């Protein structure tokens, strides 16, 4: 064979130089991400320090409870830290017990600047003695508040059958902050472990499973740094719940995108010799679906910005940042690593160039065939099943009380339980009224006449406001106390310009604001998702079908929650934000999988396949990836079920169940059956409906 001519060499040189330039791209991407992590890492470590986990931090500025807290901050000493020290002996308190309790509360009063001298209030049965301890000394410093609570707990000491517990709103906030601060490590480690196990089972490779996991970790650190920056720039509310959900989303949604990309890349490696060229083809093939799905999720989450509740409004951009960070990492960093490692990353199941994938009749092909036999019957049966499950939502327990917030029983909750048993017919925490100083006496006199009020005391004054402490006749967070709060607001708000707040009022405002937010956010989510689907699928019927399906899934998942929250998990209430947050996440994430399926169905239809064949081919080719992605996402959200907070456990359960329903019932059977029944009409009014 002769040597190549100079003309051939000259012609080949530009192509070789171009390939060399392209080969440098993965290294450039890797260096860029190292720089991003170097910048985001220090900021990510500060995110936990800016969390706001008190009930009042969740509320909008317009709420009465928020106004009370705001005015209290301006009063001399700032907002008070209210505690209740509870002494209890089952057989009845002895004289020595009472002496010990008095000596300890006196020691607390000497060590701290209290708003009033603690006075013991005995229970009717003689088993319990309650001391109200309140101080403005810690001010607005969370560390000082926690130190005050810890010091009171050190002094309040029982023994020999006498229990001494510290409860109240201040102690509850301290316990809440401690639980949230302890979540980050276990939540991250458990999520990583769950995803790692699933990826090992899916890929059956000693190396490949590690890449999506590492990339998701990079995306999580980047997202945390970005959220910290958003908090500093725009003062968005960061809660332990929103940070935990963001981590779950990064690993869950990010792994879903990785599964889709790696599946397509493996397919392209059989057709294309060079890994870099195969990756370019894979990104061209599945990139639009990944971009559309992540964009839909982000758009749905950003609708939470319209919520009035601070925690929900902050959750929107925080979760959206998590999804977009996962997207950026999975379509840049993961491809770069895969290309640099080459085909050997798939060992031992290496996709050889020119080889054919193994042909076998899969589960989803069989499911599609069964749905094709009687599509209308399958569709009707599935709809009836989802409707029946949704009825369980009527069995959801009432609003979550402060004492039912934790799955375990920290000291503050144990103290509240003791108080509820020992003082069943009286209030053990004050209702705070803030009135203009010029009308304070009139407001005090009017408050004393309100039905359900046991006593009213005048508190601090300053800045044109006066604090009144109202004791209700009913126990905290009962129907009786709620009625008293509503009556106080009706009598005092308009006539005297007063605000009614406190721990129980905050819970009432949380429930009311969450309910009103649903009427605003739900239509926005549905409209935004629907518009994106219409643009993507060039159809009106297919988007309506997908949206109706995910709404049905949300109702069924919430219904299953209603059947198990009380009887199985023993939860004493439902978090007020659960219906809205679970709706936003399930609609956004459920449509995610619908895009994968319908996008492939549209591709098949455009290539000339008749409607039934297009639907069955789409299910056969995407069913495995969707199932794997659904399992990963459900497993990551199920991690929240084991967290020590009822609100997180409920949210994780509903989303995990909803994702599984969507993956294995709605996506496989119902959407496919509806497409088979509607045939070309599913693409109406687009041009595919006229072919």
């Amino acid at each position: 064979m002769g040597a190549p001519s100079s003309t051939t060499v000259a012609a080949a040189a530009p192509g070789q130089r171009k390939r060399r330039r392209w080969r440098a791209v993965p290294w450039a991407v890797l260096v860029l991400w190292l720089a991003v992590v170097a910048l985001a890492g220090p900021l990510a470590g500060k995110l936990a320090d800016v969390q706001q986990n008190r009930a009042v931090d969740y509320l909008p500025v317009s709420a009465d409870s928020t106004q009370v807290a705001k005015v209290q901050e301006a009063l001399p000493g700032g907002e008070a830290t209210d505690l209740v020290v509870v002494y209890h002996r089952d057989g009845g308190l002895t004289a020595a017990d009472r002496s010990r309790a008095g000596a300890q509360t006196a020691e607390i009063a000497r060590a701290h600047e209290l708003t009033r001298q603690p006075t013991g209030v005995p229970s009717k049965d003689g088993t319990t003695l309650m001391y109200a301890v309140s101080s403005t000394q810690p001010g607005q410093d969370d560390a000082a508040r926690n130190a005050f609570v810890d010091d009171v707990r050190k002094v309040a000491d029982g023994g020999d059958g006498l229990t001494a517990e510290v409860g109240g709103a201040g102690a509850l906030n301290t316990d809440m902050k401690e639980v949230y601060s302890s979540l980050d490590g276990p939540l991250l480690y458990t999520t990583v472990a769950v995803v790692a196990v699933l990826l090992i089972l899916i890929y059956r490779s000693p190396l490949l499973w590690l890449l999506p996991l590492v990339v998701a970790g990079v995306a999580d650190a980047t997202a945390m740094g970005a959220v910290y920056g958003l908090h500093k720039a725009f003062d968005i509310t960061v809660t332990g719940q929103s940070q935990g959900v963001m981590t779950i989303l990064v690993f869950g949604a990010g792994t879903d995108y990785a599964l889709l990309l790696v599946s397509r890349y493996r397919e392209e490696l059989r057709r294309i010799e060079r890994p870099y060229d195969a990756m370019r083809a894979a990104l061209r093939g599945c990139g639009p679906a990944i971009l559309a799905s992540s964009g839909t999720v982000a758009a749905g989450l950003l609708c939470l910005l319209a919520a009035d509740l601070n925690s929900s409004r902050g959750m929107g951009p925080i979760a959206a940042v998590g999804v977009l960070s996962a997207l950026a990492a999975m379509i840049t960093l993961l491809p770069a690593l895969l290309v640099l490692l080459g085909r050997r990353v798939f060992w031992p199941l290496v996709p050889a160039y020119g080889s054919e994938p193994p042909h076998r009749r899969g589960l989803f092909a069989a499911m599609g065939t069964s749905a094709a036999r009687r599509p209308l019957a399958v569709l009707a049966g599935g709809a009836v099943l989802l409707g029946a499950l949704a009825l369980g939502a009527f069995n959801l327990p009432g609003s979550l009380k402060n004492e039912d917030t934790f799955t375990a029983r920290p000291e503050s909750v144990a103290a509240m339980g003791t108080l509820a048993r020992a003082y069943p017919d009286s209030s053990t925490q004050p209702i705070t009224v803030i009135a203009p100083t010029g009308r304070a006496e009139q407001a005090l006199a009017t408050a004393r006449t309100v039905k359900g009020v046991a006593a009213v005391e005048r508190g601090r004054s300053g800045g044109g406001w006066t604090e009144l402490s109202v004791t209700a006749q009913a126990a905290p967070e009962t129907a009786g106390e709620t009625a008293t709060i509503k009556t106080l607001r009706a009598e005092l708000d308009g006539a005297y310009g007063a605000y009614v707040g406190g721990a129980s009022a905050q819970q009432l405002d949380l429930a009311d604001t969450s309910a009103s937010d649903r009427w605003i956010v739900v239509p926005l989510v549905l409209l935004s998702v629907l518009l994106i689907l219409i643009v993507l699928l060039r159809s009106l019927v297919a988007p309506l079908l997908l949206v109706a399906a995910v709404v049905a899934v949300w109702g069924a998942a919430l219904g299953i929650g209603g059947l198990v929250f009380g009887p199985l998990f023993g939860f004493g209430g439902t978090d007020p934000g659960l219906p809205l947050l679970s709706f936003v996440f399930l609609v956004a994430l459920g449509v995610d999988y619908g895009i994968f399926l319908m996008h492939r169905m549209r591709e098949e239809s455009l290539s000339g396949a008749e409607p039934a064949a297009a639907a069955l081919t789409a299910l056969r080719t995407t069913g495995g990836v969707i199932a794997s992605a659904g399992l990963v996402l459900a497993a990551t959200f199920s991690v929240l079920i084991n967290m020590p907070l009822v609100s997180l456990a409920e949210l994780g359960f509903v989303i995990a169940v909803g994702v599984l329903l969507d993956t294995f019932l709605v996506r496989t059977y119902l959407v496919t059956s509806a497409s088979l029944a509607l045939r070309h009409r599913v693409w109406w009014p687009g041009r595919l409906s006229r072919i």
Side-chain angles (χ1 to χ4, degrees):
M1 181 182 292
S5 67
S6 59
T7 304
T8 304
V9 173
Q16 291 174 351
R17 286 196 297 270
K18 185 177 180 181
R19 281 196 293 271
R20 282 197 295 269
R21 286 199 302 271
W22 283 119
R23 288 194 193 103
V25 170
W27 289 108
V29 170
L30 186 59
V31 170
L32 177 62
W33 273 103
L34 288 174
V36 168
V37 172
L39 291 172
L43 299 179
K46 299 178 181 180
L47 186 59
D49 298 333
V50 299
Q51 286 185 10
Q52 298 167 276
N53 293 311
R54 298 181 304 163
V56 71
D57 295 325
Y58 284 42
L59 291 169
V61 176
S62 58
D64 261 31
S65 300
T66 309
Q67 293 298 320
V68 167
K70 184 178 178 181
V71 171
Q72 282 183 316
E73 291 175 3
L75 291 175
E79 186 180 355
T81 302
D82 296 320
L83 306 177
V84 181
V85 184
V86 185
Y87 294 91
H88 174 81
R89 185 184 290 274
D90 287 338
L93 294 170
T94 65
D97 293 337
R98 295 186 180 89
S99 176
R100 185 173 189 170
Q104 289 181 357
T105 52
E107 182 181 347
I108 293 170
R110 287 193 299 271
H112 299 279
E113 185 180 328
L114 305 183
T115 57
R116 65 181 70 89
Q117 189 67 26
T119 303
V121 180
S123 62
K124 292 180 180 179
D125 60 7
T127 63
T128 309
L129 192 60
M130 171 182 71
Y131 287 86
V133 175
S134 180
S135 175
T136 58
Q137 187 180 16
Q140 308 311 312
D141 187 344
D142 282 344
R145 292 173 186 266
N146 297 336
F148 171 61
V149 174
D150 291 339
D151 190 58
V152 171
R153 283 175 169 169
K154 288 177 184 177
V155 175
D157 182 39
D160 299 325
L162 175 68
T163 61
E165 300 165 328
V166 178
L172 189 70
N173 287 333
T174 295
D175 289 340
M176 182 79 74
K177 187 171 183 63
E178 183 178 345
V179 167
Y180 271 118
S181 63
S182 67
L183 282 182
D184 295 343
L187 181 65
L188 179 61
Y189 304 147
T190 308
T191 303
V192 169
V194 167
V195 173
V197 169
L198 289 173
L199 286 176
I200 290 171
L201 294 174
I202 292 169
Y203 287 140
R204 291 171 289 171
S205 167
L207 177 60
L208 182 57
W209 66 272
L210 190 59
L211 296 186
L213 209 57
V214 170
V215 173
V218 170
D220 187 44
T222 303
M224 291 172 67
V227 168
Y228 180 81
L230 284 177
H231 170 76
K232 288 299 182 181
F234 302 103
D235 197 30
I236 63 171
T237 300
V238 180
T239 67
Q241 183 187 52
S242 60
Q243 183 177 339
V245 168
M246 183 192 72
T247 294
I248 292 291
L249 267 179
V250 169
F251 279 88
T255 305
D256 284 0
Y257 304 148
L259 287 169
L260 193 64
L261 175 65
V262 172
S263 175
R264 190 61 176 260
Y265 178 52
R266 189 200 299 264
E267 181 182 330
E268 298 297 339
L269 281 173
R270 299 182 188 277
R271 299 191 309 105
I272 301 173
E273 183 177 3
R274 293 186 178 88
Y276 182 85
D277 296 330
M279 180 55 72
R280 291 180 65 190
L283 286 171
R284 282 197 302 268
C286 68
I290 294 176
L291 289 171
S293 61
S294 59
T296 304
V297 174
L301 292 171
L302 287 175
C303 290
L304 284 170
L305 285 170
D308 204 19
L309 207 62
N310 281 342
S311 55
S312 296
R313 192 166 62 249
M315 175 79 79
I318 290 172
V321 165
V323 170
L324 295 178
S325 297
L327 168 70
M330 292 302 171
I331 64 172
T332 57
L333 180 57
L334 180 60
L337 293 174
L338 288 170
V339 169
L340 290 173
L341 291 171
R343 295 175 185 272
R344 58 184 176 274
V345 75
F346 289 93
W347 187 87
L349 304 174
V350 179
Y353 172 57
S355 64
E356 291 291 332
H359 293 285
R360 57 180 180 271
R361 182 173 173 80
L363 170 64
F364 292 96
M367 296 173 74
T369 302
S370 64
R373 293 193 187 102
R374 302 184 65 185
L376 290 177
V378 171
L379 186 61
V384 169
L385 175 61
L386 291 175
L389 290 174
L391 294 176
F394 292 104
N395 196 49
L396 284 168
S399 292
L400 197 65
K401 298 180 180 179
N402 277 322
E403 63 191 76
D404 299 322
T405 301
F406 305 91
T407 55
R409 284 177 63 84
E411 184 177 339
S412 58
V413 174
M416 294 168 72
T418 302
L419 290 172
R421 292 187 297 271
Y423 304 85
D425 300 320
S426 60
S427 177
T428 54
Q429 67 182 16
I431 301 168
T432 303
V433 175
I434 295 292
T437 299
R439 301 181 180 180
E441 289 301 325
Q442 297 169 289
L444 186 147
T446 301
R448 284 174 174 164
T449 65
V450 169
K451 182 180 179 181
V453 171
V456 184
E457 295 181 9
R458 187 185 178 105
R460 300 168 293 164
S461 294
W465 296 93
T466 296
E467 182 182 63
L468 305 177
S469 181
V470 178
T471 303
Q473 294 174 351
E477 297 184 73
T478 60
E481 191 199 39
T482 298
T484 301
I485 292 172
K486 290 181 176 179
T487 306
L488 280 170
R489 286 178 169 174
E491 295 291 332
L492 301 179
D493 281 12
Y496 305 107
Y499 299 107
V500 180
S504 297
Q506 289 169 7
Q507 293 300 113
L508 178 61
D509 288 339
L510 279 173
D512 290 344
T513 308
S514 296
S516 64
D517 280 346
R518 289 199 290 272
W519 292 101
I520 299 171
V521 176
V522 167
L524 279 178
V525 172
L526 292 175
L527 181 61
S528 63
V529 169
L530 189 61
L531 289 176
I532 292 174
L533 289 175
I534 290 172
V535 172
L536 178 68
L537 299 176
R538 306 292 195 274
S539 164
L540 183 59
V541 174
L544 287 172
L545 173 63
L546 291 179
V547 170
V550 293
V551 170
V553 164
W554 168 72
L558 208 59
I560 294 174
L563 297 176
V564 301
F565 282 168
L568 184 61
F569 295 130
F571 295 158
T574 303
D575 181 64
L578 176 66
L580 177 61
L581 293 180
S582 61
F583 178 86
V584 172
F585 282 106
L586 280 177
V587 168
L589 295 171
V591 166
D592 217 21
Y593 298 144
I595 288 173
F596 295 159
L597 180 67
M598 298 299 287
H599 189 267
R600 186 57 181 262
M601 193 184 302
R602 190 170 187 275
E603 281 186 14
E604 295 295 327
S605 298
L606 287 171
S607 66
E610 60 96 15
L616 296 178
T617 301
L619 178 60
R620 186 185 71 249
T621 54
T622 65
V625 176
I626 290 176
S628 300
L631 282 173
V632 169
L633 193 63
T636 52
F637 270 99
S638 68
V639 169
L640 294 175
I641 299 174
N642 296 317
M643 295 297 106
L645 290 168
V646 171
S647 59
L648 287 178
E650 290 178 341
L651 183 64
F653 178 86
V654 170
I655 295 178
V657 168
V659 168
L660 291 176
L661 283 174
D662 189 80
T663 302
F664 293 101
L665 174 62
V666 173
R667 246 4 104 224
T668 51
Y669 271 124
L670 301 191
V671 172
T672 301
S673 298
S675 300
L676 290 167
L678 291 169
R679 295 180 64 79
H680 62 275
R681 290 183 294 274
V682 77
W683 304 115
W684 185 89
R687 69 182 183 88
L688 282 175
S689 66
R690 299 187 294 273
I691 296 177

